[in-house]
Amino acid sequence: MRGGGPSVSYGATKDEYRAALADAGTIVLHTQSPGAKGSVAGAFVEEYVAAVEDWSGGKITFDVAYSDAIAKSTEIDDAVSDGRLDMAQVLTVYEPKEFPATSALGNAGVLSDQSVVTGALQSNAWPAEVAFATPEIVSEFEEKGMKLVMPGYNAGTNAMFCADPRSSLADFAGKSISIGSTAAGKQVAALHGTSTSVAYTEAYEALQRGVIDCSMVSPSAATIGGLVEVAPHTIIDPDAGLVVPTANMVFNDDMWNKLPLAAQQLLWDRLDVFLGAVVEDKIWPITVDSVEQIKKYGGEVSPLSADARTALQRSNEAIIDGAAHERSLSDGAAFVDSVRTAAEKWSRIVAELGYRNTTDYNGFAEWYTPDKIDIEPYVRRVYEDVYLPHRPA
């Protein structure tokens, strides 16, 4: 629904936005960050909030609760629906039955580029394109009173952090691996391992005591939770991806529809800041920290052996093909085609924009500096190709 008041053109200056909002009352939006104030874990939220407040001339302000103080991971969607949060990042991986179409897209993330530079870019572009083009995904949020704004972004690839070096099917046979989703369980089974569920807060002790042998988590989660100390042997295979948990930025739909049009447009246009911060202020700094920790505790980032890679690739193909039978999708076969096409398309675009993997994960900490990679061309291309067509107008 269109809000009232003047409209602002895409590409408007900060002064033009401030002028358009000059007669609006102060808007206070309640949100939360997954990390402590000033931490890398929540940097992307803080960057977005600061940009919107600045561009609005203070007419839009945010009341931010830190460390998910309002609602934990499995309750965030409810908090947005009932109005406790006006804006939040919904993690559908924890509620696949509530969000089956969105979960199918999340599982399709096994198609994403797993490399350290181009992977962070490609994997944060194509899922959003597919989500906006899949009515069933948008409807899953609308039916729960949420406006889907930025679907399917991630905070970095998933990895396997193991207490001992592992790479082959023989290495994984019978080993206990902690996972966070059904699709991840299928991947572990393909590697001949045994999947289990261990609470994140208990994973350190479980690895230390040998209750589990590996944990499938993001480098961010492994570093923040201290898992690297007891499981520094890390597996990220560039040609066989693990299921990557994704998040979806949403607004309470009733609140969104009451906002002035210029406020909606500003919140939408500054998604460029949000996307840039996800990559520059979270994924890559955490990768640096993770690699340093991995080396400190005697590990390294390694690929799978050929037999394990082949097994995982077959499992991934089965996961993708399985989406064709997802009942929540009106045309599952077309959905499968769309995820394959979009993933390939954005791999080409990232390459055409000139981004390359000059180093691998092991060398990234020494190679990377904040000014090493200019992602502005990438952010602009993603915004204009994926988000601009859905801009409030």
Side-chain angles (χ1 to χ4, degrees):
M1 183 181 296
R2 172 175 173 159
S7 177
V8 181
S9 300
Y10 169 60
T13 65
K14 187 184 299 184
D15 287 342
E16 288 172 324
Y17 258 117
R18 290 179 173 181
L21 292 166
D23 295 330
T26 300
I27 299 165
V28 181
L29 301 177
H30 301 277
T31 190
Q32 66 179 23
S33 167
K37 187 174 183 178
S39 69
V40 174
F44 59 106
V45 174
E46 294 184 39
E47 289 286 338
Y48 176 76
V49 163
V52 171
E53 290 182 339
D54 179 31
W55 277 67
S56 71
K59 285 301 181 80
I60 302 175
T61 63
F62 292 83
D63 179 12
V64 183
Y66 294 93
S67 300
D68 285 347
I70 303 299
K72 298 306 178 185
S73 300
T74 58
E75 303 170 351
I76 296 174
D77 58 323
D78 294 331
V80 176
S81 296
D82 65 28
R84 282 176 288 156
L85 290 169
D86 297 315
M87 180 189 89
Q89 325 306 319
V90 173
L91 305 172
T92 57
V93 66
Y94 298 115
E95 299 177 283
K97 292 182 180 179
E98 295 290 321
F99 299 90
T102 308
S103 295
L105 176 61
N107 292 341
V110 297
L111 288 175
S112 289
D113 182 349
Q114 305 297 308
S115 55
V116 68
V117 173
T118 61
L121 305 178
Q122 183 254 20
S123 67
N124 274 294
W126 74 262
E129 181 172 278
V130 173
F132 282 130
T134 307
E136 295 89 347
I137 291 177
V138 177
S139 294
E140 286 180 347
F141 292 90
E142 289 179 342
E143 290 168 1
K144 295 175 178 62
M146 291 179 280
K147 169 70 176 179
L148 181 59
V149 172
M150 188 170 190
Y153 72 89
N154 68 75
T157 188
N158 246 14
M160 252 192 301
F161 290 84
C162 299
D164 296 303
R166 303 190 187 283
S167 65
S168 68
L169 289 179
D171 293 333
F172 288 109
K175 301 304 178 183
S176 181
I177 301 171
S178 178
I179 60 166
S181 69
T182 301
K186 294 177 180 178
Q187 293 182 313
V188 169
L191 294 173
H192 300 172
T194 301
S195 60
T196 186
S197 179
V198 175
Y200 175 63
T201 54
E202 300 172 2
Y204 179 96
E205 184 176 356
L207 285 162
Q208 186 180 48
R209 294 171 53 196
V211 175
I212 58 175
D213 299 289
C214 304
S215 181
M216 189 187 297
V217 293
S218 68
S220 171
T223 303
I224 294 171
L227 307 189
V228 178
E229 180 180 344
V230 290
H233 305 286
T234 309
I235 299 164
I236 301 176
D237 193 292
D239 298 315
L242 298 173
V243 176
V244 179
T246 58
N248 304 272
M249 182 178 176
V250 301
F251 283 83
N252 174 280
D253 199 45
D254 288 340
M255 181 282 304
W256 177 266
N257 290 331
K258 293 175 183 177
L259 291 173
L261 177 58
Q264 293 178 349
Q265 291 170 329
L266 177 56
L267 290 163
W268 199 272
D269 283 348
R270 292 292 70 81
L271 291 175
D272 58 356
V273 172
F274 189 97
L275 174 60
V278 164
V279 177
E280 284 191 308
D281 297 320
K282 185 165 187 177
I283 294 178
W284 286 336
I286 282 179
T287 300
V288 168
D289 192 21
S290 298
V291 170
E292 290 175 343
Q293 291 290 310
I294 288 166
K295 291 182 177 179
K296 176 181 177 180
Y297 292 107
E300 65 176 357
V301 180
S302 304
L304 293 166
S305 296
D307 63 343
R309 180 183 304 115
T310 298
L312 185 56
Q313 288 171 335
R314 288 173 179 166
S315 175
N316 288 349
E317 286 299 310
I319 289 171
I320 298 299
D321 290 340
H325 307 291
E326 170 54 53
R327 294 180 180 178
S328 65
L329 297 167
S330 60
D331 190 341
F335 174 80
V336 170
D337 288 342
S338 72
V339 297
R340 292 187 185 280
T341 299
E344 292 173 0
K345 168 188 169 182
W346 279 97
S347 287
R348 291 195 303 271
I349 290 174
V350 168
E352 289 166 1
L353 290 172
Y355 298 103
R356 300 287 185 273
N357 293 301
T358 307
T359 184
D360 61 9
Y361 281 94
N362 289 310
F364 189 74
E366 294 181 2
W367 175 83
Y368 180 76
T369 57
D371 59 349
K372 194 82 172 185
I373 307 170
D374 178 13
I375 67 167
E376 194 278 332
Y378 160 79
V379 170
R380 183 173 64 251
R381 180 67 179 269
V382 174
Y383 182 88
E384 292 182 350
D385 282 18
V386 178
Y387 293 95
L388 184 58
H390 306 282
R391 184 178 187 264

